[in-house]
Amino acid sequence: MQDYYAQRAREYDAIYLKPERQSDLREMETWLPAELEGRTVLEIACGTGYWTQFLAPRCAHVLALDAAPQTLEIARSRVPPATVSFAVGNAYALPASARRFDAAFAGFWWSHIPLARIGEFLAGLQRVLEPGARVVFMDNRFVAGSSTPLSQTDADGNTYQLRRLGDGSEHIVLKNFPSRGELLTAIAPFARSTRYREWQYFWALSFEMQ
């Protein structure tokens, strides 16, 4: 996965140019910063900083992590450093600090978590957040004709897509599309005050960490 996104870094933002998704994206670009306004945010899998650029003006501080230095290079070029710090990081070994974060955000990361590791990821996130911290996840809904078709399913129920990059290389990429019920069940041991929202092409889940 990390190698794929490193190779895809310069092509990544093309996903935000799909014409049919523009209305959803404009709404999400307004909705997300309002959910996390004024908070100290840990952003997981920030990629090229597309969502970081909307958080930065409205949050007290953002620590934006990604596993691929290639995408972080792009993120640093698009977001002024005044309220954002960037670092290479592992979503399954999140950084601990003397002052814990009072918010977390992950855009388009949930779909790449193997089903067997969701609990591990959420427990690790809980350890670095203050009790009651606001958490927001956003990701894709599967929409035929817009989403890349699923190419295979493994024994655990994880689904995968075959993706092709501009250089012609092909990559099998984990991409799950959870239902609302599956999401709520997964976060139930960790969350309170849960809110779920859907657009045509995307979903968002926000809650307070227990």
Side-chain angles (χ1 to χ4, degrees):
M1 183 74 71
Q2 182 177 340
D3 290 343
Y4 165 73
Y5 277 102
Q7 292 181 53
R8 186 187 169 192
R10 296 294 169 184
E11 303 176 29
Y12 185 88
D13 283 358
I15 197 67
Y16 296 117
L17 300 178
K18 289 192 172 187
E20 71 274 17
R21 301 186 180 188
Q22 296 311 300
S23 177
D24 282 5
L25 289 169
R26 298 297 84 76
E27 289 189 27
M28 294 161 69
E29 291 160 9
T30 300
W31 176 83
L32 174 63
E35 286 287 300
L36 299 175
E37 185 157 14
R39 294 176 181 263
T40 300
V41 181
L42 175 63
E43 183 180 3
I44 300 156
C46 71
T48 60
Y50 183 88
W51 296 102
T52 319
Q53 67 182 324
F54 301 109
L55 293 173
R58 304 276 294 274
C59 296
H61 187 77
V62 180
L63 173 58
L65 305 179
D66 200 87
Q70 295 85 349
T71 54
L72 284 175
E73 180 182 351
I74 297 171
R76 288 190 181 98
S77 72
R78 93 185 316 157
V79 182
T83 59
V84 180
S85 303
F86 292 98
V88 175
N90 181 343
Y92 301 104
L94 295 170
S97 63
R99 188 175 103 177
R100 291 194 290 179
F101 303 92
D102 64 357
F105 167 66
F108 305 89
W109 160 246
W110 185 283
S111 56
H112 296 308
I113 306 173
L115 296 175
R117 300 195 73 178
I118 290 174
E120 172 193 351
F121 165 70
L122 290 172
L125 181 60
Q126 186 178 48
R127 284 192 292 271
V128 300
L129 297 180
E130 295 178 356
R134 174 72 54 80
V135 179
V136 178
F137 296 112
M138 296 193 316
D139 218 310
N140 300 98
R141 299 178 65 201
F142 185 85
V143 180
S146 181
S147 304
T148 302
L150 299 176
S151 60
Q152 62 188 71
T153 304
D154 68 19
D156 293 326
N158 296 291
T159 53
Y160 298 80
Q161 295 171 328
L162 176 63
R163 298 186 180 180
R164 295 177 178 85
L165 296 180
D167 62 6
S169 61
E170 295 186 342
H171 304 262
I172 299 293
V173 177
L174 171 67
K175 185 71 174 180
N176 287 321
F177 293 90
S179 67
R180 177 181 182 274
E182 289 167 338
L183 288 166
L184 295 179
T185 297
I187 67 166
F190 305 92
R192 55 183 173 82
S193 302
T194 303
R195 299 165 297 283
Y196 176 80
R197 177 168 180 171
E198 283 186 354
W199 294 269
Q200 184 174 0
Y201 295 95
F202 305 98
W203 59 261
L205 183 66
S206 60
F207 60 90
E208 274 66 62
M209 186 67 80
Q210 292 186 14

